[in-house]
Amino acid sequence: MKALVYHGPGEKSWEEVPDPVILKPTDAIVKIDTTTICGTDLHILKGDVPAVTPGRILGHEGVGTITEIGSAVTDLAVGDHVIISCVSACGKCDFCKRGVYSHCRADEGAPGIGWIFGHLIDGTQAEFVRVPFAETSLYRVPEGVADELAVLISDILPTGHEIGVRYGAVSPGDVVAVVGAGPVGLAAMATAGLYGPSRVIAIDTDANRVEQAKRFGATDGVVASDPDWKEQVFALTDGLGVDVAIEAVGIPATWDMSLDVVRPAGHIANVGVHGKPVEFHLEQKWIENITITTGLVNTNTSPMLIKLLAQGKLDVAGFLSHHFALSDIISAYDTFGRAAETKALKVILSA
Ligand SMILES: [Zn+2]
Ligand SMILES: [Zn+2]
């Protein structure tokens, strides 16, 4: 088969590799019909994720058709059309039993981390992929849901929903600020509406992105490069700050911005993947009753999000910015890698 193989920082190629085979009775082999590229793949290509070693097939998002199942797989069948979750769950360990699949202890890749595709084992940017723990890590695509929407369930929608909105405890009437209007920030805005906030404020340095965010559920926008951006945010609250700040960038500046706008007793939900330490002045903030959460997506809300998608209750078609043939994945990487210029959100690759 053909696959997108990582060959060390800055090096990748679409090349011939051996077909994946069933290694464990709980495995399935899935033929990829649709996949996409994540910001995390770009981090890997920069060399930021040393656990990814040369020779690894990248990708952790995809929709496909089961072509083979292991002997222990009884609830799925060859021919089933499925969403591949970016997090694999054995379903049996302590963390899986609590729905914290992100820290699955199963001995596949490395025990203690549920994100293994395109990281610790070969991923989904390929014609076929081996899926461990198939029964607890694959979800059937409901009738009538297009692949290009279903693939948003692999990672981006549960990430914005679980780590941004749910960990942020967004509640009816809340004013929510989402710092960063990239794909994951937009996924948080698109799912915040499920909990009845009174306002969702998109904050970004790019005025165009702030404007676009209104298509994803933002009610207001603030351009972070405006000198009075903070006053603008406070003016959209009762003057005391936002109830929930969702950090969806992952740099010290956006962490500071989240702290700047959150009110006492508010929540900061960090979704951004940070590469550098941030400051937190506990000597000032201890008195403010703030809740701070962090996390890697669990994908435990994927079944619920799939139901909403099937009912047309999640208006997320705006995420689909570009379409490519799977064999043209190198061009897709180029377009996605220049997102500021190309306005790429999700580039969809179809077999
Ligand atoms: Zn991802
Ligand atoms: Zn587990």
Side-chain angles (χ1 to χ4, degrees):
M1 69 162 184
K2 284 277 178 73
L4 195 279
V5 181
Y6 172 71
H7 289 293
E11 304 290 330
K12 62 180 181 308
S13 74
W14 177 248
E15 63 188 53
E16 194 68 32
V17 296
D19 286 356
V21 294
I22 299 271
L23 297 179
K24 293 185 183 169
T26 45
D27 288 351
I29 303 295
V30 174
K31 177 192 169 295
I32 296 292
D33 298 321
T34 301
T35 184
T36 178
I37 304 170
C38 178
T40 304
D41 298 320
L42 299 183
H43 277 294
I44 292 170
L45 276 163
K46 275 197 230 152
D48 290 348
V49 189
V52 181
T53 49
R56 178 68 62 231
I57 298 171
L58 297 184
H60 52 263
E61 300 170 70
V63 171
T65 307
I66 296 178
T67 56
E68 212 181 327
I69 53 172
S71 58
V73 177
T74 55
D75 286 351
L76 292 166
V78 169
D80 282 355
H81 195 45
V82 290
I83 297 164
I84 300 165
S85 178
C86 67
V87 162
S88 302
C90 75
K92 293 179 177 173
C93 72
D94 180 66
F95 287 105
C96 281
K97 283 180 177 166
R98 297 187 206 189
V100 188
Y101 308 144
S102 55
H103 294 281
C104 176
R105 298 294 306 168
D107 188 13
E108 179 75 54
I113 193 80
W115 167 45
I116 56 176
F117 285 122
H119 179 204
L120 306 172
I121 67 167
D122 285 335
T124 56
Q125 289 167 5
E127 290 177 318
F128 293 88
V129 63
R130 178 180 78 94
V131 178
F133 313 116
E135 279 181 346
T136 35
S137 309
L138 292 173
Y139 301 97
R140 282 194 189 81
V141 180
E143 205 68 36
V145 174
D147 273 19
E148 58 187 24
L149 292 177
V151 79
L152 302 175
I153 299 285
S154 286
D155 178 352
I156 183 167
L157 286 175
T159 297
H161 175 241
E162 294 171 15
I163 309 305
V165 176
R166 293 257 283 220
Y167 278 13
V170 173
S171 306
D174 278 358
V175 177
V176 179
V178 180
V179 182
V184 172
L186 293 172
M189 295 178 213
T191 51
L194 298 170
Y195 302 87
S198 59
R199 286 185 191 272
V200 176
I201 309 167
I203 306 177
D204 199 286
T205 48
D206 181 336
N208 176 63
R209 275 183 153 189
V210 169
E211 201 45 47
Q212 291 295 311
K214 293 179 183 163
R215 293 195 295 140
F216 296 85
T219 56
D220 301 273
V222 170
V223 179
S225 49
D226 287 354
D228 67 338
W229 73 272
K230 192 173 153 187
E231 286 73 27
Q232 290 183 41
V233 173
F234 272 70
L236 293 166
T237 72
D238 55 6
L240 300 175
V242 303
D243 299 285
V244 183
I246 296 176
E247 203 282 5
V249 181
I251 58 173
T254 47
W255 165 258
D256 291 343
M257 289 168 71
S258 304
L259 274 167
D260 280 347
V261 296
V262 76
R263 63 193 284 146
H267 287 248
I268 296 178
N270 182 79
V271 193
V273 177
H274 289 260
K276 289 194 179 125
V278 298
E279 284 192 357
F280 181 64
H281 288 279
L282 196 53
E283 80 282 9
Q284 295 162 10
K285 293 290 182 185
W286 70 269
I287 203 168
E288 287 196 9
N289 302 51
I290 296 169
T291 303
I292 296 172
T293 55
T294 71
L296 170 66
V297 65
N298 293 307
T299 68
N300 63 315
T301 68
S302 295
M304 183 275 272
L305 294 170
I306 291 169
K307 280 187 203 166
L308 294 175
L309 204 56
Q311 292 301 315
K313 305 265 188 198
L314 285 177
D315 184 12
V316 289
F319 279 108
L320 317 175
S321 64
H322 295 78
H323 291 78
F324 292 89
L326 180 56
S327 57
D328 203 14
I329 191 166
I330 299 291
S331 310
Y333 261 97
D334 177 61
T335 297
F336 187 65
R338 293 184 294 116
E341 220 176 297
T342 62
K343 313 245 176 290
L345 288 174
K346 283 311 251 183
V347 299
I348 301 296
L349 294 142
S350 309

